[in-house]
Amino acid sequence: MKPINIYELTRVGASSGIQKLERQMSGRAEYLKIKKWEIDSLRAFVDRLNEVMPISHGYEFYYSFLLPKLGKEFDLLRISSDYIINIELKSRPVSTEAIKKQLIQNRYYLSMLGKTIYSYTYISSENRLVRLSNTDKIVDSDWQTLTENLQKQTEVYSDDIEVLFKEDKYIISPLTDPDRFLRKEYFLTSQQKDIERKILGKLKNKGFVSLGFSGSPGTGKSLLLYDIAMKLSVREKVCVVHIGGSSEELSKLNNRLKRVDFIATDLAADTCDEQTISDEYAAICVDEAHRITKEVLDNLCEIARKRDIPIIFSYATEALLGNRKKKLGSELIEELKDCQIYQLTNRIRVNSEISAFVHNVIKPLKYKQQRLYPSVKLAYANDEKEAGIILDNYKKNGYVFIYDNRISKGEENQEHSVEVTDAVCREFERVVMMIDDTFYYNSYGSLDAFDDENYDNYKVRCLFHGLSRAKEKVALIVLNNMDVFNVILSNLQK
């Protein structure tokens, strides 16, 4: 999307003509839906600006720039080598608090460019211009200051604005970025806010209620759950039960937050009984609940009912993983009586190429796509010695080895190695994983593995969740399994 001359755009009268001209000027893929009050407000701003600054008719702005995954839109942006000018347009009076909230949020999103930001709001019905001060107050601004800021901008950016913004940088994981989470340097997407609003609304009437939300990797499930826990902890103490092991980051959150306790459970041992879940908690939040066992689930629900407190589940959608003898935690949760489930669908941190590759590996017959995979690397090793040599090369190139300790032994405390149970809720720029000779493609065309009875489909699940932790690049090392290697290699070809 390119910047447009807003003076020229507002000279057109008919709304249909404005939409066509705007698309021609900005180079959008689709027509922008512009409401009458929006163009009237823009026209009023342009006319007023042109009165005080006649040369402004030559200035260009990015108009109605949208970060779709985040549901974030900017009315007017002008970006130069030294600073950014952001102007929001309102047709009718808006509360000072609403204006302040919007401009502060805008500043957060724009701050990733590392430039000074001047934030304004224009209310056309009042012909009033206000700005966000250095002390985060909304103050009246004069047009002279705005025009001076516009004139001082040098080397104004005029290329595709999407190049400057990567949406995955905005949505953090509490376990990957615990410090940023604790400083509240994040915002929820519009979909996350909507689900949070519904859940908090259900909790207004105190008592037992079972709620949950699910989504694919990268939809911001953990961030949403932890944000809900933080809001609930304003009045009462709550706990977050993390299914499947602990981590240094989890300990940091637990030490820093006094009214939220983080309880890590070991999949093989813990049952989360009444001694584990203190009676001082006013709510139980369960993260990574797709990994929960029936015993732990039954115990947690029984505790919540007995104490008449709510229980909230956050879990990944694992329908992709095909036929199983045992039910997944997600299926157990969805079978709970009167459990209200919400769906997160906006994939924020997920690289679409890597996502397509992961689906391709798990179900090649269903998800085979005619595309290239420049961010994916595939290697073959005949034995463990060769696999070790190849793996070391990837580690030297910045890849983190996410391993299943039943496949790769002796990786504990190795540099650039993370056990799969410790990798959940975290992201890495580059990920390398291994497929051994226990994997095969079954009669349904899905990836499967010879697992022991206690870990039905466990290896494929580890592979799926591990590869989904990658943000930029992934690599697969296939160990002594030419059949699986040939299928993956064939599907990597366009």
Side-chain angles (χ1 to χ4, degrees), residues 20 48 65 105 110 133 147 155 184 214 253 261-262 294 314 329 415-416 435 464:
K20 292 178 181 178
R48 182 69 181 110
F65 169 56
Q105 189 180 72
L110 296 170
S133 72
T147 57
E155 299 178 25
K184 298 185 178 180
S214 67
L253 291 174
D261 285 348
F262 293 85
K294 189 175 188 308
S314 167
E415 190 176 5
H416 302 301
I435 288 180
F464 171 70

Side-chain angles (χ1 to χ4, degrees), residues 122-138:
Y122 175 65
I123 305 102
S124 59
S125 61
E126 300 178 335
N127 192 26
R128 183 186 176 204
L129 184 69
V130 299
R131 65 180 176 84
L132 183 68
S133 72
N134 293 332
T135 56
D136 288 350
K137 293 182 179 179
I138 298 300

Side-chain angles (χ1 to χ4, degrees), residues 23-271:
R23 184 184 181 192
Q24 177 64 31
M25 296 168 79
S26 66
R28 295 179 193 270
E30 300 177 352
Y31 289 111
L32 176 66
K33 295 180 180 179
I34 309 176
K35 298 176 182 177
K36 185 179 183 302
W37 68 262
E38 291 174 325
I39 197 62
D40 288 344
S41 185
L42 178 62
R43 186 179 289 114
F45 171 78
V46 170
D47 291 344
R48 182 69 181 110
L49 182 63
N50 199 48
E51 287 177 11
V52 235
M53 186 185 183
I55 62 171
S56 67
H57 56 67
Y59 281 19
E60 294 185 336
F61 293 80
Y62 292 98
Y63 175 58
S64 194
F65 169 56
L66 177 68
L67 293 168
K69 290 182 180 179
L70 305 177
K72 181 63 198 166
E73 185 176 20
F74 303 89
D75 288 344
L76 293 173
L77 285 176
R78 198 165 188 264
I79 304 169
S80 66
S81 59
D82 37 14
Y83 54 86
I84 302 169
I85 295 177
N86 169 220
I87 304 165
E88 293 300 313
L89 305 173
K90 308 294 179 186
S91 62
R92 292 178 292 181
V94 181
S95 71
T96 299
E97 192 58 35
I99 292 174
K100 175 182 174 180
K101 182 178 179 181
Q102 182 182 37
L103 293 183
I104 289 177
Q105 189 180 72
N106 286 7
R107 185 180 63 190
Y108 166 76
Y109 287 112
L110 296 170
S111 64
M112 70 164 292
L113 299 183
K115 303 176 186 293
T116 301
I117 301 163
Y118 294 102
S119 306
Y120 294 88
T121 294
Y122 175 65
I123 305 102
S124 59
S125 61
E126 300 178 335
N127 192 26
R128 183 186 176 204
L129 184 69
V130 299
R131 65 180 176 84
L132 183 68
S133 72
N134 293 332
T135 56
D136 288 350
K137 293 182 179 179
I138 298 300
V139 298
D140 284 306
S141 179
D142 60 273
W143 289 85
Q144 190 62 34
T145 302
L146 172 59
T147 57
E148 287 176 359
N149 287 337
L150 287 169
Q151 287 179 309
K152 289 178 182 177
Q153 282 188 298
T154 58
E155 299 178 25
V156 178
Y157 186 77
S158 60
D159 291 329
D160 188 354
I161 192 171
E162 278 90 353
V163 174
L164 300 179
F165 293 89
K166 289 188 176 181
E167 292 175 298
D168 63 338
K169 301 296 183 184
Y170 295 110
I171 305 301
I172 68 168
S173 164
L175 293 185
T176 303
D177 303 293
D179 292 326
R180 287 182 64 191
F181 175 75
L182 290 167
R183 292 194 300 266
K184 298 185 178 180
E185 294 180 358
Y186 65 89
F187 287 98
L188 301 181
T189 67
S190 55
Q191 187 180 54
Q192 287 172 316
K193 289 177 185 176
D194 183 54
I195 292 176
E196 182 176 76
R197 184 172 59 252
K198 290 176 180 176
I199 287 177
L200 293 178
K202 295 278 187 181
L203 302 183
K204 283 184 178 179
N205 297 323
K206 291 188 176 183
F208 171 77
V209 63
S210 177
L211 302 165
F213 50 88
S214 67
S216 301
T219 50
K221 300 181 297 297
S222 291
L223 178 63
L224 175 56
L225 184 73
Y226 287 29
D227 191 71
I228 290 172
M230 292 278 279
K231 286 183 170 61
L232 293 176
S233 70
V234 171
R235 296 182 179 178
E236 300 173 282
K237 197 167 185 177
V238 301
C239 71
V240 175
V241 179
H242 184 85
I243 305 295
S246 184
S247 68
E248 181 180 338
E249 293 84 357
L250 202 64
S251 298
K252 179 181 287 190
L253 291 174
N254 194 46
N255 292 334
R256 295 275 294 276
L257 295 172
K258 302 304 179 185
R259 299 178 68 85
V260 181
D261 285 348
F262 293 85
I263 302 170
T265 70
D266 186 290
L267 289 173
D270 290 321
T271 57

